[in-house]
Amino acid sequence: MANFILMPQMGVSDESAVLSQWLVKEGDKIELEQPLFSMETGKSSFEELAKYAGTVLKIVIPAGEEVKVGEVVAVVGEPGEKYELPGAAAPAAEAAPAAA
């Protein structure tokens, strides 16, 4: 099963952080506690460590972006594994016919 890497909350009042640099790339095999990316809040910078081992299937947020706490930044799993990002847009509903 694919695992989602989320932007962590570093400080009690932090609602977002800047994902300043990816330390891995799509297709890389990663181990537990391997540094994945660095991030910056208004006060400091941190490295996020892997909570899952596997392969980086997708980097969702590019470096340099401000990211809300809890937002998916990457997907880790087995090569070729299918996954669906949380909050992905649902298929558009058909427009209701106009009233005559």
Side-chain angles (χ1 to χ4, degrees):
M1 182 169 100
N3 294 293
F4 300 111
I5 307 300
L6 307 178
M7 177 59 82
Q9 182 170 16
M10 300 311 296
V12 176
S13 62
D14 292 330
E15 295 179 9
S16 65
V18 174
L19 195 158
S20 53
Q21 179 183 11
W22 279 102
L23 305 173
V24 297
K25 60 186 182 301
E26 287 182 11
D28 283 358
K29 196 159 180 59
I30 60 170
E31 301 296 327
L32 284 174
E33 302 207 3
Q34 176 179 339
L36 296 178
F37 60 90
S38 59
M39 61 189 149
E40 299 173 8
T41 65
K43 301 175 185 166
S44 359
S45 61
F46 306 91
E47 282 187 352
E48 177 66 2
L49 304 180
K51 293 174 179 63
Y52 312 101
T55 299
V56 179
L57 301 177
K58 175 85 175 155
I59 291 178
V60 179
I61 306 290
E65 296 287 319
E66 184 161 351
V67 184
K68 291 181 184 176
V69 168
E71 190 170 336
V72 174
V73 297
V75 183
V76 173
E78 295 301 317
E81 184 174 357
K82 302 285 185 216
Y83 60 89
E84 187 173 322
L85 291 173
E94 290 185 32

